[in-house]
Amino acid sequence: MAYLVPAEFVTKMVDAGESKIYMSTRDTLVRAYMAGAILALAAVFAVTVAVATGSHLIGSILFPVGFCMLYLMGFDLLTGVFVLAPLALLDKRPGVTVQGVLRNWGLVFVGNFAGALTVAVMMAFVFTMGFNTDPGAVGTKLAAVGEARTLGYAKYGADGWFTIFLRGMLCNWMVSMGVVGAMISTHVSGKVIAMWMPIMLFFFMAFEHSVVNMFLFPTAIMMGGDFSVMDYLIWNEIPTALGNLVGGLAFTGLTLYSTHYKTAPKRQLTAERNSAGKEALA
């Protein structure tokens, strides 16, 4: 399946980060919008499957279909650019600045949120027949999840907030591995397999993904979830996004960059040094 070695695909990561920073505003927003919308559809699909089968595992196994689709189409998630854009800055690519990285993050956030919110409104309308009926089993499940993952954290105060942050770190450790997975093969099958594994893991473990939550919580509010927009922002979206940034960059971006792109000098074996010393004395 045409596997690329780490030194090759890490170079592609840095190139991709530079490309995203230089991308036009229009293209950045469109690609981010579509990514948010597709991932939202994948989330509601996975929850629907889990409710229908009674198995969260089956929903988790199927959720990565959305992630694979959006990356094969070249769309962008905030969790992905959190990892890729800073690498171009770290590599001192010409013209790449901190302001450029922040601009890219901001545009992708806006696009992702708009796409996810669009699907949230559409699905809320579908679940309730235009807000005229009860939301049904799936809508009720989404509302319950929204309450549990805001107020459920809030009751633990700072410990709850830090728990979300850590879940966000763990999430983007895995999601960013999926982003990299799209680069380690030149065949569609290889890309899909490499992306599927870490995305399935993060979803089953209920780690916190900022873009999935852009769909989940607005939908939960519209389905009657008993929490506010401020509860969502303070007790989920903000710590989740910060955790996504730290986890993806620290565990995936910087580790791969430092050990496969900016490698440390190779050490000399003691025997080789001794041999060189004897030759010098001779």
Side-chain angles (χ1 to χ4, degrees):
M1 290 183 284
Y3 168 72
L4 302 180
V5 300
E8 294 175 305
F9 68 71
V10 175
T11 300
K12 293 178 66 175
M13 290 170 62
V14 181
D15 292 342
E18 180 183 19
S19 174
K20 294 179 190 308
I21 290 170
Y22 281 119
M23 193 181 299
S24 70
T25 299
R26 184 202 66 178
D27 290 346
T28 302
L29 287 172
V30 169
R31 296 182 190 191
Y33 179 91
M34 292 307 301
I38 292 171
L39 199 68
L41 284 172
V44 73
F45 167 61
V47 173
T48 301
V49 169
V51 169
T53 63
S55 172
H56 177 55
L57 176 60
I58 296 176
S60 301
I61 291 172
L62 296 176
F63 171 74
V65 66
F67 184 89
C68 293
M69 285 193 297
L70 72 91
Y71 267 100
L72 289 174
M73 295 296 105
F75 299 142
D76 288 323
L77 292 173
L78 182 63
T79 43
V81 297
F82 271 164
V83 176
L84 299 178
L87 296 184
L89 180 67
L90 190 63
D91 200 47
K92 298 180 180 179
R93 294 293 176 93
V96 174
T97 63
V98 172
Q99 290 82 0
V101 173
L102 294 176
R103 171 186 172 277
N104 176 254
W105 289 353
L107 290 173
V108 174
F109 180 94
V110 170
N112 283 172
F113 194 90
L117 186 61
T118 298
V119 173
V121 172
M122 293 172 72
M123 292 309 305
F125 194 97
V126 169
F127 286 143
T128 61
M129 292 291 181
F131 302 99
N132 290 304
T133 66
D134 291 334
V138 176
T140 301
K141 177 65 175 178
L142 289 169
V145 171
E147 289 183 26
R149 288 166 67 173
T150 50
L151 303 182
Y153 289 124
K155 67 181 181 180
Y156 294 105
D159 290 338
W161 197 95
F162 194 60
T163 297
I164 310 170
F165 176 81
L166 291 177
R167 283 178 177 262
M169 287 183 63
L170 292 166
C171 172
N172 208 27
W173 183 4
M174 290 297 97
V175 172
S176 58
M177 290 291 287
V179 173
V180 175
M183 303 180 183
I184 71 173
S185 173
T186 57
H187 295 178
V188 172
S189 57
K191 291 176 181 287
V192 168
I193 291 170
M195 288 188 282
W196 205 282
M197 296 182 290
I199 303 305
M200 177 177 63
L201 190 156
F202 113 72
F203 197 84
F204 181 75
M205 294 298 292
F207 294 151
E208 298 285 355
H209 190 281
S210 55
V211 182
V212 171
N213 292 351
M214 291 173 187
F215 159 77
L216 177 62
F217 291 93
T219 304
I221 290 173
M222 287 184 279
M223 293 296 95
D226 188 19
F227 63 97
S228 68
V229 173
M230 288 306 297
D231 289 330
Y232 156 57
L233 293 174
I234 295 172
W235 293 105
N236 196 285
E237 189 63 40
I238 292 173
T240 293
L242 293 174
N244 288 168
L245 169 59
V246 174
L249 190 56
F251 291 145
T252 301
L254 294 179
T255 52
L256 288 171
Y257 179 85
S258 63
T259 195
H260 290 301
Y261 191 82
K262 292 291 185 180
T263 56
K266 295 185 181 297
R267 68 185 186 89
Q268 291 183 335
L269 296 178
T270 302
E272 292 175 344
R273 289 201 298 270
N274 290 341
S275 176
K278 289 178 182 180
E279 290 178 0
L281 292 174

